[in-house]
Structures are given as C-alpha cells and as structure tokens.
Amino acid sequence: MADLLKCLLRVAEKAANVARVCRQEAPLFQLLVQEKTGADKNKKFVQDFKTLADVIIQEMIRHDVGAQFPEMVGFIHGEESNKFENGLGESVVVTVCPSEADTASLLSTVLDGDSTAASLLARAIHQDPASICTDADHLSIPLQPSQLGIWIDPIDATSQYIEGKEEELQQGVLCPSGLHCALVLIGVYLRGSGEPVMGVINQPFNHKSPDSSGWRGQHFWGVSCDGLALCSVSPPKPGSGSGSGSDLSVVLSSSEKPSVKKALSSICHPDKLMYASGAGFKILCVIQGLADVYVLSEGSTFKWDSCAPHVLLKALGGGVVDLNKTLESGVNQAELTYHQPNTGHAGADRWANSGGLIAYRDRDQLSKLLTVLKGNI
Ligand code: 2IP
Ligand code: CA
C-alpha cells in the first residue's frame, strides 16, 4: 500500500496548490475574502467562495483517490457536502469532470458566470503537482484498499487561511496563529475497527521562498498498523522545543474552559500553557515536540480534524484519546476511532469527537495530566 501513501501525498500537494492559487490569483482572492451578506448577497451565487474552495479540493481528492483505488469509492468522506443550493432554490452538485474545460464550465454555474475565476480554479485542480519525494517508495504496508476508509479536511483552520497573517516560523518555537496553521489533512482508517492507520498532513504556507516566487509548503506522513510504525517526523529529543525542565507543556484552544486552565496551571509553568489556532495544527505541534500534549474539553473537533495527525502520533508511540472516556474508565480502550457515527445526532455532530480529546506523545505524561484533570474540570 505504498502506492496509496504516494497517491495521498500527491493529492495533498495538489490540494495545497489550489489553496495557494486561491490566495495568489487576484480574481480568486477577491472572492475568498469577500463575505456577501444582506442586500449585497447575490441570490444566484452559491454560499461563500471559501466553502466552494473547500468542496472542490475535497472532490478533487475523492476523484483522484477513487480513480486509482476503485475499492475505496464510497468510503472517502469529508467535512463538506458537494451539493450546493443557491438563494433561488437551484442546486448544483460540484464534481471534478474528466476535462479542465468541463470543470471550468461547471464551476462557472456556481460562480454566477464568473468564467475567469472558474477557469483559474479548474486549471489548478487539473494540474499535476511537482513530484513528491519520500523514502516511502519501497515500503511494504500490510493493508488492502477494500479494508480502508478516508477522512479529508480540505483546509483546516479556515479562519486563519482567510485572515492570511504571514509569520516567519522559527525552529522549535510554537507560533500560535497565521497562515501556517492552515493544513490539508488526509487520514486513513480501518473500516472494521476504526483504527487510524495512515495519515498525510500538508502545510501549504510553511515559508515564503527567498526568490519571491511565493509560498512553499511542507508535508508530513505516518503509517501505524500491524506493528509497523513509521513517521516522517523524528521523535523530538526529551525536553526540547517546549522548553527545558520537567513541567509539562500544553497547547489549548483559545476558547478552552477556565476550569481546565486552572487545573493545568498546577503542573504547568505559565509559559508552558500555550494557545494555537486549528485543531490539526495543535496536534501537529505535539507531533513536532513544540508542545507535549493538546487538551480539549469540548466536542468541537471532528473525525476529519484528528484522523490524519492521530496516525503520526501513534507511529511516534503516542496517540489521541477521548478525554471524557479516559477520565471515566482509564486510558485503555479510549483511543479515538473513526468508523462509527455518534448516535442521536444529525449533520456534522454525528462525526464530532464529542468527549473532547487529549493528543499526547508519551503515556507517562498522559497519566500525569489525567491525575490533575480528574475531578477538577
Ligand atoms: C476547525 C478549526 C478550528 C478549531 C475547530 C476545527 O476546523 O481547526 O480552528 O477550533 O475545532 O473544527 P480551535 O482553533 O478553537 O481549536 P475548520 O477550520 O476546518 O472549520
Ligand atoms: Ca477542520
């Protein structure tokens, strides 16, 4: 299944290109940042352009993976629905067509006849990315396409993507917000057990090229199944990145509950309680050793946010557990799974990580954390 990994790295890079093009090309950027509301809202224009960009990236990934792995068609899911309805009650299903011209003409109907924007978008969708080199080429991965399902988050941390703040990243330092928080996430799980087994993360805006040709990305991948544990990120050296000393460093959502922050402050130096945007980005910070754990007490993340980065943490010896379940019944059996919806919920909430989560690299650190959270949040 090294072919699947190569395919996911390629489609994630294509998705990153589309994300970059939408910010680089003026006609697309205009659409991306304008929010049409009230009297300004064109009834023929379908929802927001940012939703369309998300949907088309997701459909492109679904199309390319399905073409190479037909056994996976029907098991490739994402955050967005590809059915659009405009204010006049007309609906259009957005898909990737066999030719660039056909995709452009379909997109033009959703963009109320804006053929310039439609053509630019279609070109990015049909363009092959520069080849991605990995050391994964000769791997033998014991998985069959007919066992697998996929979760796609076309662009996680959409608000950071739209806002577009440019930051220069420093090695070993957690930078809490900006374009670098936007990630393309593609996670693969076992249909039978829901275990996450292969993950690809693409960070489209990692650094600006010195020759001013625009943004360059970075990608990360992991495989964790049947005793195989591979991750493109090396395990951080103990005590690195998050600072020295024995204090635990924790990354949180800026909207985390005061009771959680209070409980954590008993084992974390104030400098080591950090905040960052993007659910996927926060898990990436744990993968990279910029924080030891990510704690979230609310059910505000979804399967498509956590599946891909979960695999990289597993491959490094850590994982992502359901916070509530872990507090109730211990760490065993509480790893998040990806195959079953929450019963009694509708829409996106069916796929929420409803009990909150803890993403960790080290089991001892997880245990230490649980002792302070138990009974205190
Ligand atoms: C969001 C995004 C948010 C995150 C939320 C995700 O996904 O990652 O940043 O909230 O949980 O669902 P927070 O930053 O508070 O952790 P999207 O941007 O794809 O809607
Ligand atoms: Ca998301």
Side-chain angles (χ1 to χ4, degrees), residues 91-352:
S91 72
V92 182
V93 173
V94 173
T95 53
V96 173
C97 304
S99 76
E100 185 180 320
D102 288 348
T103 302
S105 109
L106 177 66
L107 289 174
S108 169
T109 63
V110 224
L111 289 167
D112 192 23
D114 186 340
S115 57
T116 310
S119 304
L120 285 167
L121 204 49
R123 188 183 309 155
I125 289 158
H126 284 269
Q127 212 159 50
D128 261 331
S131 68
I132 304 273
C133 297
T134 69
D135 37 11
D137 287 14
H138 306 294
L139 286 178
S140 158
I141 304 175
L143 295 168
Q144 295 301 322
S146 57
Q147 303 176 288
L148 306 173
I150 291 189
W151 281 113
I152 304 167
D153 191 342
I155 303 172
D156 186 43
T158 332
S159 59
Q160 297 301 311
Y161 174 61
I162 305 291
E163 196 179 313
K165 189 156 54 92
E166 302 190 356
E167 298 284 359
E168 208 165 307
L169 302 182
Q170 280 174 48
Q171 185 83 23
V173 178
L174 190 159
C175 182
S177 61
L179 267 174
H180 62 280
C181 298
L183 302 177
V184 178
L185 306 170
I186 311 178
V188 181
Y189 63 90
L190 293 178
R191 285 180 211 171
S193 63
E195 185 193 346
V197 288
M198 188 183 284
V200 165
I201 301 173
N202 193 307
Q203 186 178 37
F205 305 94
N206 178 267
H207 60 276
K208 261 195 155 165
S209 149
D211 62 9
S212 72
S213 62
W215 281 94
R216 296 286 165 83
Q218 199 175 358
H219 63 267
F220 312 90
W221 60 267
V223 175
S224 169
C225 60
D226 260 347
L228 193 65
L230 301 161
C231 184
S232 68
V233 183
S234 324
K237 291 190 199 91
S240 70
S242 50
S244 54
S246 58
D247 274 0
L248 213 58
S249 62
V250 184
V251 63
L252 301 169
S253 163
S254 54
S255 60
E256 188 49 82
K257 287 205 292 260
S259 60
V260 173
K261 295 184 205 171
K262 188 163 174 256
L264 291 170
S265 61
S266 67
I267 50 163
C268 303
H269 186 272
D271 292 350
K272 292 189 182 183
L273 264 192
M274 301 174 284
Y275 300 89
S277 292
F281 180 69
K282 283 191 275 290
I283 308 182
L284 181 61
C285 288
V286 180
I287 294 167
Q288 295 180 310
L290 301 175
D292 294 322
V293 288
Y294 161 33
V295 178
L296 176 71
S297 64
E298 304 284 341
S300 54
T301 66
F302 299 87
K303 298 300 172 196
W304 47 83
D305 294 318
S306 56
C307 188
H310 189 166
V311 179
L312 280 75
L313 274 179
K314 259 179 74 197
L316 292 172
V320 185
V321 289
D322 179 304
L323 172 61
N324 287 345
K325 268 195 206 156
T326 310
L327 289 174
E328 278 160 25
S329 43
V331 288
N332 296 326
Q333 311 298 324
E335 283 287 321
L336 294 182
T337 54
Y338 293 88
H339 60 322
Q340 278 166 344
N342 300 317
T343 48
H345 290 269
D349 283 344
R350 293 176 73 224
W351 298 106

